[in-house]
């Protein structure tokens, strides 16, 4: 192909991460077909098309996600993915993306109704996501100002901002939505809850991400209530099922749970819970794991 004036796919360089895990690294300055095809090939392998060992990951987690959605909960009509990371060169991120694609198949959510945002995506990775039919969000998502059109009032669902993003302030807009947020920062979950702070909106929310119970166990109560008050307030209104562990992917999906919010449980919470609608600011938070708009 090179002799005929075509292109030749270069060999990926590899470097070792801490703990001995290998991270693949490509020439990020090169764009176009070859790089994108290499990313897509690795993704196909992660989905188990070329490596049957990876297929062992998919049935138990997929079943764990389907279980809570098989009851009275409305099945997701769309999906939003935050914080996936550099899946072109990081195996863990690639397996997480492969699992997301399998979930979309299982839940019958068209790829075009799945939106992703991560400022770390390279041009090649963005091209690969578009080739898969997924929707790329290109800006950080922030809330509307209180009192503006579209901002929530007590008991109403948030319509959300028209901007895409990593601050996580996106409303469900009346449609059941799966948020895929594996290993994201606590503030991102807290912002998402705030943006949907009503029984009507939260009941349409499914979150795959860090265990809320784990967050509660690891944080001092005063820190949880001060910095991540919406996580703290919703703990009695959430159902949670941990993804089954897999010895081959302990670091890929560890501490990951499926969360959903049954309407009857939310309605049992005191009215004072829903009266508190202040936007999270994190002014006293020393370990803020979030990318704010303008910091990408």
């Amino acid at each position: 192909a090179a002799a005929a004036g075509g292109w030749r796919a270069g060999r990926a360089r590899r470097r070792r991460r801490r703990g001995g895990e290998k991270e693949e690294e490509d020439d990020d300055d090169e764009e176009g077909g070859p790089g994108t095809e290499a990313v897509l090939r690795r993704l196909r392998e992660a989905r188990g098309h070329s490596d049957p060992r990876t297929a062992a990951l998919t049935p138990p987690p997929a079943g764990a996600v389907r279980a809570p959605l098989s009851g009275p909960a409305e099945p997701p009509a769309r999906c939003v993915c935050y914080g996936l990371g550099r899946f072109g060169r990081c195996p863990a991120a690639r397996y997480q993306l492969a699992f997301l694609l399998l979930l979309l198949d299982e839940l019958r959510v068209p790829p075009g109704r799945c939106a992703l945002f991560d400022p770390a995506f390279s041009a090649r990775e963005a091209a690969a996501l578009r080739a898969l039919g997924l929707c790329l969000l290109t800006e950080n998502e922030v809330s509307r100002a209180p009192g503006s059109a579209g901002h929530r009032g007590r008991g109403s669902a948030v319509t959300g901002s028209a901007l895409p993003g990593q601050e996580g302030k996106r409303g469900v807009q009346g449609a059941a939505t799966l948020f895929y947020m594996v290993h994201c920062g606590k503030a991102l979950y807290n912002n998402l809850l705030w943006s949907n702070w009503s029984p009507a909106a939260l009941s349409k929310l499914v979150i795959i991400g860090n265990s809320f119970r784990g967050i509660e166990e690891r944080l001092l109560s005063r820190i949880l209530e001060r910095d991540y008050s919406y996580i703290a307030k919703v703990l009695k209104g959430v159902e949670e099922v941990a993804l089954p562990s897999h010895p081959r992917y302990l670091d890929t999906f560890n501490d990951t749970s499926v969360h959903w919010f049954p309407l009857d449980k939310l309605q049992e919470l005191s009215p004072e819970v829903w009266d508190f609608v202040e936007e999270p600011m994190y002014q006293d938070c020393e370990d803020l794991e979030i990318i704010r708009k303008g910091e990408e």
Side-chain angles (χ1 to χ4, degrees), residues 125-262:
E125 288 164 335
L129 293 172
R130 293 190 184 98
L132 292 167
L134 300 166
C135 177
L136 266 181
L137 305 179
T138 57
E139 295 187 52
N140 213 343
E141 194 155 67
V142 297
S143 65
R144 297 171 186 262
S148 66
H151 192 79
R152 69 167 148 30
R154 179 183 172 187
S156 63
V158 185
T159 61
S161 167
L163 295 175
Q166 187 80 343
E167 286 196 4
K169 297 173 181 177
R170 169 179 279 259
V172 296
Q173 300 179 340
T177 305
L178 169 66
F179 283 85
Y180 189 77
M181 306 165 60
V182 181
H183 300 326
C184 285
K186 295 180 288 295
L188 206 60
Y189 302 108
N190 197 57
N191 284 352
L192 178 62
L193 294 172
W194 171 78
S195 295
N196 294 280
W197 198 242
S198 74
L202 288 177
S203 65
K204 293 183 178 296
L205 204 65
V206 176
I207 301 174
I208 299 180
N210 292 6
S211 165
F212 283 14
R213 302 299 177 190
I215 292 174
E216 180 187 23
E217 292 171 358
R218 288 188 295 270
L219 282 183
L220 294 174
S221 296
R222 62 178 179 83
I223 299 298
L224 179 64
E225 293 171 3
R226 184 194 69 187
D227 295 337
Y228 310 106
S229 59
Y230 291 96
I231 296 177
K233 292 175 184 296
V234 86
L235 286 173
K236 293 182 179 179
V238 64
E239 294 284 351
E240 174 179 330
V241 173
L243 290 189
S245 61
H246 189 289
R248 184 174 170 83
Y249 306 100
L250 292 178
D251 294 334
T252 305
F253 296 100
N254 65 304
D255 194 41
T256 301
S257 292
V258 184
H259 308 80
W260 70 103
F261 307 84

